[in-house]
Amino acid sequence: MEYKFNEIEAKWQKYWAENKTFFAPTDTSKPKYYVLDMFPYPSGAGLHVGHPLGYIASDIYSRYKRLKGFNVLHPMGYDAFGLPAEQYAIQTGQHPRITTMENIDRYRSQLDRIGFSFDWDREVKTCDSDYYKWTQWAFLKMFDSWYNKKTNSAEPIKELVSEFEKRGNLKVEAFCGEVPQFTSEQWQAYSDTQKSDILMQYRIAYLGETSVNWCPELGTVLANDEVKEGVSVRGGFPVEQKKMKQWLLRVSAYAGRLLDDLEELQWSDALKEMQRNWIGRSYGAQMVFKVVNPDPADGSKFDREYDMEIFTTRADTIFGVTFMVVAPESEWVEKLTTESQKQAVEEYLTQAKKKTERERIAETKSVTGVFSGSWAQNPFTGEKVPIWIAEYVLAGYGTGAIMAVPAHDSRDYAFAKKFGLKIVPLIEGCDVSEESFDAKEGIMINSGFLTGMNVKEAIPAAIEEVERRGIGHRTVNYRLRDAIFSRQRYWGEPFPIYYKDDIATAVPESELPLELPDIETFKPTDNGEPPLARAKNWAYQGYPLEKSTMPGFAGSSAYYLRYMDPHNEEALVGREANRYWRNVDLYVGGTEHATGHLIYSRFWNKFLYDLGYVCEKEPFKKLINQGMIQGRSNFVYRIKNTNTFVSNGLKDKYDTTEIHVDINIVYNDRLDIEAFRNWRPEYNNAEFILENGEYICGWAVEKMSKSMFNVVNPDNICSKYGADTLRLYEMFLGPVEMSKPWDTKGIDGVHRFLRKFWKLFYGGGEGTGSFCVTDEEPTPQELKILHKLIHKVETDIENFSFNTSVSAFMVAVNELSALKCNKKKVLVPVIVLLSAFAPHICEELWQLTGHTQSVSFADFPMYYEEYTKEDTFEYPVSFNGKTRFKLSLSKSLSKSGVEKAVLAAPETAKYLAGNSVKKIIVVPGRIINIVM
RNA sequence: GCUCGGGUGGUGAAAUUGGUAUACACGCCGGACUUAAAAUCCUGUGGACAGAAAUGUCCGUACGGGUUCGAUUCCCGUCCCGAGCACCA
């Protein structure tokens, strides 16, 4: 019988859905395994063949784990709030919910065709109110918490308030904004508004007036990870810095833990490194320089000496400080500017402010700055140095002020050269005439008590001295900033916050979800308010509700927890379900979320962990980053001003224009000329210059997109070759982690393999023969093929090396075909093993070989035991007619293999014979280990 | 500039981590079946040299050195490619 993949696949997909084959109950009698894919944003374009790459890999792994007896949680859902649906809504007036639901349906039908083993009973959509109820709930918990540095944990704000009432905040150590010190009496005397303002500085979700990334085109603020090179990641619109009142999450409080806990995760080094860079820890010292104007007559406003605090990682270079710099946005600017410099400073500031983020980045090489008029005193040398204002110092990092050591910092060096400031070298033998010496090595000179020390010793020695003198202390700084959490958008979770006499107040938990109201148009209002300002009665008990909504990462930060217990109405995740499923064992997704979702999720999880809602401190134990699949575009070459097209090999002889051509009318780079003429009316009477009677197209690797006519839809591949072929082929293409272009050329090879496999069950005669397998005992040769296959595929799956396991199947099937092997005892274990990769064909063959249920995973351990027992035995190896040592071999290895190995390496044999070798381990033809 | 990955046939890529380099697949060459094509199947396929042939010899994993009985794998230097970060003091 023929291999009718379309019928077979439809049959089993229906069977799985009807029987809920992949339903994963919270069954504590079995070991659990949680395999998660990053859920997709359902875009209007649907899935292309690149999207399912990671899903296929994780599906193979899930099915494999089920075979091994695990209770596997493998859910899927949709990250359904987002910008594209809203942009579409603004243009068309169609409610984003409608577009989103349509897209979800399309995604679902595409996913179903590939035969994934998702437990759809656990599906979540972030835009459903019974899902975002828990997003809002978590936000309220953050609003009601503060970060205690003493316990290094988030704690309820109620406890903080009672501490304030008893003792004020003198003993409180918290990650917080700027707050005055106060006693309990002072606290009690504060007005409600004052109290609220103070508490706001402590909350983990807080309202803050900060400089934000404002994108005028999108009409919203963006988080740091949503901005790249000064433009928005979505849309590529310019972004500027603007002071605004916004909701923020105090992610920075968790910076240290986010960094430290990275160690124990099984993530790729590249990804961990990205997070490390993003969090950016640096050890150093904070110290104080006195501001001392030499000539008070110069309009100095100082009636006393000010202490200006700076941060440095190079305390050892303090003797080389020749000037100081503060950021233009720093609050120090006003205090430091003297009368005589006032005009120059103001000019500089207006100029700096006008620049967009993009311009600032473009001009990183140009050095700008202005002298403030004030001077500071070096606490070690007593020398007076000028204080400058310059853009190269950032207000948001450290204290927004630095001590400049031009000899040993390239940025300070460039600045000193431009403005003619002094450069004092501090390291023996360094040449600072052309560039600074930034390396942290060498012997100190010109450095008082540090002179003669190595830089590595000098840094701690300098910090110690700073601490001894009481002018500063050792400290750690992080680059990671608090996450801006509000968006001036409609299609997102509403904040459960209302403003009672301008005091931000939480909507009671019992009233969640706070549903997103319907509105007529989705644009921001004419006076620049967010779209929710258009909603009627957007108020709680008569008080106005917050009009911003939450950003995209809000809904995706805890979805992995919701899958554990998706229908629980009492909690985000029930205690019992959480204790069983714990966290994600394997997470598969792209690197693009390295500094966004993967940071926010870890933060969110740690926060819930602190409050005792979840039992693991990290959400994702092991992470695999699947590569992107790019498109392979085809081109035709039109001779300019004609309707004649010239084949790729001849195009250099003419003046041509390159035109993208739909890859669906090109086969192995050969153009279907008739189809091309029918593709577009303007090509109806196109002429062609051929080579060898064919039109050969050019090609290039590009992003898969509609505009380049290179999108390959998985549905088409499924109809033409079947889902099993698609699954195998995507794996066969190369390692999952690698990015690679899609090329349909090789798919025939994989499809042929499945036909060949199918034929094994039909006495080698597809189309003619009838189903025919025997109960005969396998020969040793057949067992060896099987044994090798099981071993190879198992180790490959564990290492996520699916391309090589597909190859192993091909080798085995080729070998079994050559032997015309149709013995059940050989073929059935192959079916079981292959069912992880190509489930439909395997289910069918499983049934045909006489099994009544869906691939009965319970039977697998038997085969597994029987065929993977590795009896090792000693095999003597001799040189010069004398037995020298014995080889340790497993039963599947042949004698001839070993002899060949030794013969292949006579030098090795000679060497080994002359040494005391205890054991060498050999596989056919190759020595893999020598024990001396 | 800094930090991580990588460079293996015509192409996608293997190599059990120091043990016969190029498995598997595509493509290509030749053959079988066919009136023919498609499909299918079989054979060959790193390079150079020698031979009628089986076969043999040498060179080959970006380049130059090193360690080792033995290096695609480890070490040093150079050159390319990709990804991420980028005034973070």
Side-chain angles (χ1 to χ4, degrees), chain A residues 508-525:
Chain A
E509 250 178 57
S510 57
E511 310 224 0
L512 298 181
L514 177 67
E515 302 236 13
L516 185 65
D518 279 336
I519 55 177
E520 297 287 310
T521 38
F522 304 95
K523 278 197 287 258
T525 64

Side-chain angles (χ1 to χ4, degrees), chain A residues 358-376:
Chain A
R358 189 170 204 174
E359 283 164 340
R360 260 180 100 148
I361 287 164
E363 289 169 19
T364 44
K365 289 205 173 67
S366 73
V367 179
T368 66
V370 65
F371 177 47
S372 70
S374 287
W375 297 73

Side-chain angles (χ1 to χ4, degrees), chain A residues 536-561:
Chain A
K536 290 190 189 100
N537 305 323
W538 188 234
Y540 178 79
Q541 294 186 345
Y543 299 109
L545 279 157
E546 169 65 52
K547 296 187 187 76
S548 311
T549 55
M550 298 186 195
F553 69 80
S556 59
S557 288
Y559 75 113
Y560 61 92
L561 289 169

Side-chain angles (χ1 to χ4, degrees), chain A residues 82-94:
Chain A
L83 224 44
E86 179 161 349
Q87 298 287 67
Y88 188 76
I90 290 171
Q91 285 159 23
T92 63
Q94 166 142 256

